[in-house]
């Protein structure tokens, strides 16, 4: 039960999972990289500046289905500096990815994510969708992705995992919740390939307050399904949880980097819990390469 007001932020959520003790021992994610597959990223934010090893965009483009790529060149795929950083002024498209990435690896010298010395590989997989039906209940246009586009991002991570010493890839996204495991998901094979290489795929369980169901791809058995708690042991009221959930991590009112400025914004969700887990994997790999 929630017995009072909670105001969590990285300054409290990170210590709540004993990260400070790991840092004291010299384990902070250095020499590792975390890939984040999400929407756009404000890579110039002080929490992320100097951390990016490369950028990629697999944002789909199919006008027949009212789907338009957000890769900066207008063509997909795009792999180069700036490919994942399309953040139009006044747009919200970089809010989610920037926030998530800063939880995993952020470090501006004062504010810290979990693996504060780790590098970042940002991968943009979200497109502008203008279909009223597909966007519903959100207004059109909206930002959406799909399993096959995410699969392309995962395949790319698999290709460059050794080059950048990627130890975790974070998926704070998902579709309609499912009971049990969902090993018919097209992403299962590459998630298993990544796991065989020592790369954890952390995936958010979803925010529909469901018990017994979680969102794909977190329900893939070889993925690390992450639900949300507060900074203590209470399960967040919005978090999906099922027998396929592997870990719980802080996801209530997390204050982290903004995608529209050099400031900070507070967001709740299993999307915020998953990168806490991704950062924790990087810290463990710092200690046990």
């Amino acid at each position: 039960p929630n017995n009072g007001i909670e105001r969590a932020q990285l300054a409290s959520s990170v210590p709540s999972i004993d990260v400070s003790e790991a840092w004291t021992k010299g384990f902070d994610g250095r020499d590792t990289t975390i890939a984040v597959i999400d929407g756009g990223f404000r890579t110039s934010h002080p929490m992320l500046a100097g951390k990016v090893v490369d950028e990629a965009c697999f944002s789909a483009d199919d006008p027949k289905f009212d789907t338009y790529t957000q890769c900066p060149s207008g063509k997909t795929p795009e792999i180069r500096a700036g490919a994942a950083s399309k953040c139009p002024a006044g747009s919200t498209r970089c809010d989610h990815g920037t926030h998530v990435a800063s939880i995993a690896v952020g470090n501006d010298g004062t504010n810290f994510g979990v693996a504060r010395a780790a590098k970042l590989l940002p991968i943009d997989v979200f497109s502008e969708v203008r279909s009223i039906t597909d966007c519903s209940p959100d207004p059109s246009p909206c930002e959406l992705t799909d399993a096959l586009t995410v699969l392309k991002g995962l395949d790319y991570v698999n290709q460059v995992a050794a080059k950048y010493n990627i130890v975790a890839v974070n998926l704070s996204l998902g579709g309609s919740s499912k009971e049990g495991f969902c090993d018919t998901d097209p992403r299962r094979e590459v998630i298993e390939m990544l796991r065989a290489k020592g790369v954890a795929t952390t995936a958010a369980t979803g925010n529909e307050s469901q018990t017994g169901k979680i969102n794909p791809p977190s329900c893939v058995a070889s993925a690390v399904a992450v639900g949300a708690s507060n900074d203590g042991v209470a399960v967040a009221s919005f978090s999906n949880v099922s027998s396929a959930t592997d870990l719980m991590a802080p996801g209530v009112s997390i204050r982290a980097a903004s995608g529209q400025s050099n400031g900070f914004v507070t967001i709740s969700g299993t999307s915020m819990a998953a990168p806490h887990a991704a950062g924790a994997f990087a810290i463990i790999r710092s200690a046990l390469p």
Side-chain angles (χ1 to χ4, degrees):
N2 181 358
N3 296 318
I5 295 172
E6 298 171 7
R7 292 189 176 88
Q9 52 185 312
L10 285 178
S12 59
S13 68
V14 170
S16 80
I17 58 172
D18 299 328
V19 171
S20 302
E21 184 177 341
W23 291 346
T24 299
K25 296 179 179 180
F27 307 133
D28 52 11
R30 67 187 61 243
D31 301 322
T32 71
T33 297
I34 296 175
V36 178
I37 296 177
D38 213 290
F41 300 81
R42 184 183 174 86
T43 56
S44 62
H45 192 285
M47 287 280 280
L48 303 180
K51 286 187 164 284
V52 176
V53 296
D54 202 355
E55 298 183 44
C57 178
F58 295 93
S59 172
D61 190 65
D62 195 339
K64 287 189 301 182
F65 294 96
D66 290 329
T67 299
Y68 299 88
T69 185
Q70 293 298 288
C71 296
S73 69
K75 297 180 180 180
T76 184
E78 188 172 348
I79 300 171
R80 64 170 181 84
S85 307
K86 185 176 180 180
C87 304
S91 168
T92 62
R93 83 171 309 268
C94 291
D95 289 4
H96 191 270
T98 304
H99 197 267
V100 167
S102 72
I103 292 169
V105 304
N107 185 343
D108 64 6
T110 302
N111 303 283
F112 305 106
V114 178
R116 64 181 185 179
K119 297 293 188 179
L120 171 67
L121 176 60
I123 302 171
D124 187 349
V125 295
F126 278 77
S127 302
E128 180 183 281
V129 176
R130 299 174 188 171
S131 164
I132 295 173
T133 301
D134 289 343
C135 288
S136 180
D138 294 324
S140 169
C142 64
E143 293 273 332
L144 297 174
T145 188
D146 61 80
L148 294 181
T149 303
V150 175
L151 174 59
K152 292 176 183 178
L154 287 167
D155 282 338
Y156 173 66
V157 173
N158 191 43
Q159 292 170 22
V160 299
K163 178 180 180 180
Y164 297 122
N165 193 28
I166 297 171
V167 297
V169 52
N170 190 80
L171 300 173
S172 288
L173 46 83
S176 300
S177 57
K178 298 182 182 296
E179 293 182 356
F181 293 111
C182 55
D183 284 348
T184 58
D185 189 288
R187 294 162 288 195
R188 176 188 60 81
E189 185 175 357
V190 70
I191 290 173
E192 290 179 349
M193 293 170 69
L194 287 164
R195 186 167 181 142
K197 293 180 177 181
V199 181
T201 301
T202 54
T205 60
N207 305 317
E208 292 80 38
S209 304
Q210 293 186 331
T211 300
K213 293 182 178 182
I214 60 176
N215 291 352
S218 70
C219 49
V220 172
S222 46
V224 181
V226 187
S229 65
N230 64 3
D231 286 353
V233 296
V235 176
S237 61
F238 54 78
S239 181
N240 293 350
V241 181
S242 79
S243 59
T245 304
D246 296 295
L247 299 173
M248 304 299 291
V252 176
S253 301
I254 305 300
R255 182 176 179 269
S258 167
Q260 299 186 52
S261 69
N262 288 340
F264 296 83
V265 63
T266 299
I267 311 175
S268 295
T270 57
S271 284
M272 286 64 250
H276 278 84
F281 276 106
I283 285 182
I284 293 169
R285 289 290 292 277
S286 288
L288 303 167

